[in-house]
Amino acid sequence: MQDYAQQESDFQAGIPPRLISIFYSVFDLNKGPKVVFEVPEGSIISTGLSTSIIDFDSISEYIIPKQQLCGHLVSICTESYKIMGFPVYIEDDKYERNAFMFNLSFVFDRDADTSSYEPVVRKVARVLTSLETENEFLSNEATKDVMYNIIEQLLEDLNSYCECQIPINSANTINLKLFPTYRNPPPVYDYQVPICTVNLKALMDDNWDITMKKIAMHINGIHHVKKIAEMADVDYGLARKCMEHLLYYGCVIMIDIFQFSNVYAVKPDIMRIIEDETVQSECLSYVKKPGTTPPSFAKLFSLYCSLKHGSTLKEWVQDNQVESLNIDIRRFISFGVIKGFLYRVHKYPILPEPHNQQSELPSRLRKLLNGKHHYDEICTMEGCSARKLDEILAAEPEVKFIWR
């Protein structure tokens, strides 16, 4: 399960963007930069039947650039599109003016994440350069027309299958495969609780890192990262690195420590689940106690909506007689947090500066009372419960609290 917004961003980050067009350009001695082939037709050079999506003349100096830019990945953005290419300059006295310049350019939506295409664009340029230097494949009138078929198949196969295999001749084949790219994971903190999205035990084999194996054995959706590190007898820093690795591949997600003193509130996103029967069914099966019949989804929705600022989870349970409804309260809360329509309202203690230096509280604790550290973080660092921290801070009447 994942937050709706996180699902969307993960999808956009992991799945390669769709190609809008591919075009092949050369430097013509009489006309300068020139588009020789384009797919689809009319996408770059206007025809009588269509208007191009890009004004080639306005970007031509970057498609076939000066020699200093050749041999480098070049990306250009117009108002609506992004063009990526790898201009090539081949110097040889067999050509007029002793050089041949070309570029195979790929066109995407302007906001597309094109990082997965960077190695593909480089590789295609290397293959074409090799074909030209060895066989004059691009400059020879007898073979250059094959380029149209190549870019047509590139566009079709990369959009449809995220890979392609194009035989050029008996000795050369263009083999390309797009690999999904993911954003770097957010930093992991000792007070966060990992929840598995896959069966880690089933994925383990003899090649797994020993530290990762020890860490994975203690992930149960209850223990926080610091507790897991202690149980696995692993350095805290290494435990966090392992969690970031699992986060990167979507094997875990991180939530807050579950306590009945926590405060939760709903986001406007909760309205989405009213229209999504799949999420409703998932919610019912996820939150019910084993071997029992859960209440209707309408009742669960009402319970979610009753979570609010100023009311602890313990008070919410008592006010709504939740214990009689056959639902697992921990899973009920974690479902809402994971799906993104429920959020934790954290408690931040503050000891004003004039009183901070005079306080009898331990100096290590006083440094944390600046409004930047919430209860979960402080309790994890100090190794105490929220109730114990309440008792400690009660001895200092000048301590104030912010909930956010």
Side-chain angles (χ1 to χ4, degrees):
M1 296 184 300
Q2 290 185 328
D3 174 298
Y4 282 107
Q6 186 65 41
Q7 278 184 327
E8 183 177 350
S9 63
D10 284 352
F11 178 84
Q12 292 173 343
I15 303 300
R18 186 168 183 81
L19 274 166
I20 306 298
S21 173
I22 301 178
F23 63 97
Y24 167 67
S25 310
V26 299
F27 183 81
D28 185 280
L29 296 179
N30 298 315
K31 300 179 181 179
K34 171 188 174 183
V35 176
V36 181
F37 300 116
E38 57 178 333
V39 177
E41 290 287 347
S43 56
I44 309 300
I45 302 299
S46 298
T47 66
L49 300 177
S50 64
T51 302
S52 64
I53 60 175
I54 294 170
D55 179 7
F56 179 75
D57 290 338
S58 66
I59 62 170
S60 62
E61 63 179 308
Y62 302 105
I63 300 299
I64 305 294
K66 294 181 179 180
Q67 186 177 350
Q68 291 87 338
L69 277 180
C70 292
H72 300 279
L73 196 68
V74 177
S75 292
I76 314 146
C77 286
T78 66
E79 186 176 346
S80 303
Y81 300 98
K82 179 188 294 185
I83 303 98
M84 181 188 296
F86 194 92
V88 175
Y89 180 95
I90 302 175
E91 189 171 6
D92 197 303
D93 57 13
K94 66 184 177 182
Y95 302 114
E96 291 188 61
R97 296 192 184 178
N98 301 320
F100 178 72
M101 299 177 67
F102 73 91
N103 193 358
L104 187 66
S105 303
F106 296 67
V107 181
F108 310 88
D109 285 327
R110 180 188 172 91
D111 297 327
D113 179 2
T114 55
S115 54
S116 60
Y117 264 92
E118 291 177 5
V120 168
V121 175
R122 288 191 179 97
K123 182 174 182 179
V124 173
R126 287 199 305 270
V127 172
L128 294 178
T129 301
S130 177
L131 287 169
E132 174 60 24
T133 54
E134 293 174 7
N135 306 309
E136 299 181 5
F137 179 78
L138 301 175
S139 58
N140 192 318
E141 292 294 331
T143 56
K144 74 174 187 179
D145 287 350
V146 177
M147 272 300 295
Y148 180 82
N149 296 328
I150 290 175
I151 64 176
E152 189 176 42
Q153 189 171 345
L154 279 173
L155 183 72
E156 176 64 28
D157 289 358
L158 290 176
N159 274 342
S160 300
Y161 313 112
C162 293
E163 61 181 329
C164 68
Q165 185 177 54
I166 306 174
I168 305 299
N169 52 38
S170 58
N172 295 281
T173 301
I174 297 178
N175 286 297
L176 301 172
K177 186 175 180 64
L178 291 167
F179 292 94
T181 56
Y182 302 95
R183 294 189 179 98
N184 289 332
V188 170
Y189 299 101
D190 288 343
Y191 53 82
Q192 291 180 307
V193 176
I195 293 182
C196 292
T197 59
V198 297
N199 187 342
L200 289 178
K201 293 181 180 179
L203 292 176
M204 285 187 198
D205 58 34
D206 295 337
N207 296 319
W208 273 47
D209 177 77
I210 295 176
T211 302
M212 181 66 79
K213 283 185 177 180
K214 294 170 68 175
I215 290 293
M217 294 298 294
H218 297 286
I219 298 176
N220 62 356
I222 299 174
H223 301 317
H224 54 69
V225 174
K226 185 177 181 180
K227 178 69 173 178
I228 291 172
E230 292 170 349
M231 295 175 70
D233 193 21
V234 169
D235 176 77
Y236 297 144
L238 288 178
R240 290 192 294 270
K241 289 295 182 184
C242 287
M243 293 300 175
E244 288 178 0
H245 189 76
L246 294 172
L247 265 178
Y248 180 81
Y249 288 105
C251 297
V252 299
I253 51 180
M254 310 301 288
I255 64 170
D256 297 312
I257 298 171
F258 178 85
Q259 298 175 102
F260 282 98
S261 59
N262 291 355
V263 174
Y264 295 91
V266 293
K267 297 179 182 179
D269 284 348
I270 194 172
M271 300 307 296
R272 294 189 184 186
I273 64 174
I274 295 178
E275 303 170 355
D276 194 330
E277 294 183 359
T278 301
V279 175
Q280 294 174 19
S281 175
E282 186 181 358
C283 180
L284 288 168
S285 61
Y286 185 79
V287 307
K288 73 172 184 177
K289 290 181 178 179
T292 65
T293 301
S296 66
F297 177 76
K299 179 61 177 177
L300 295 181
F301 183 80
S302 174
L303 288 173
Y304 277 124
C305 291
S306 64
L307 290 162
K308 60 183 183 296
H309 283 266
S311 178
T312 65
L313 198 56
K314 181 180 179 179
E315 294 167 342
W316 171 83
V317 169
Q318 294 172 345
D319 292 344
N320 294 277
Q321 300 180 335
V322 176
E323 292 180 339
S324 64
L325 299 178
N326 296 328
I327 64 173
D328 185 315
I329 300 172
R330 180 191 300 273
R331 292 171 72 86
F332 176 85
I333 294 298
S334 64
F335 184 88
V337 172
I338 292 168
K339 287 298 184 182
F341 60 80
L342 201 63
Y343 69 97
R344 170 82 178 280
V345 183
H346 282 284
K347 184 179 182 181
Y348 293 80
I350 299 177
L351 182 59
E353 189 60 34
H355 305 281
N356 197 304
Q357 302 303 322
Q358 304 169 7
S359 174
E360 296 182 2
L361 294 173
S363 59
R364 176 178 169 178
L365 178 57
R366 293 204 308 269
K367 293 178 181 178
L368 300 175
L369 305 182
N370 57 5
K372 298 180 180 179
H373 307 278
H374 52 63
Y375 255 49
D376 282 3
E377 181 179 0
I378 297 173
C379 289
T380 303
M381 292 179 67
E382 296 298 315
C384 65
S385 66
R387 178 181 295 179
K388 181 63 176 178
L389 183 58
D390 278 336
E391 293 174 357
I392 294 172
L393 296 182
E396 180 53 75
E398 298 301 328
V399 173
K400 310 298 179 184
F401 300 96
I402 294 177
W403 294 83
R404 65 173 187 268

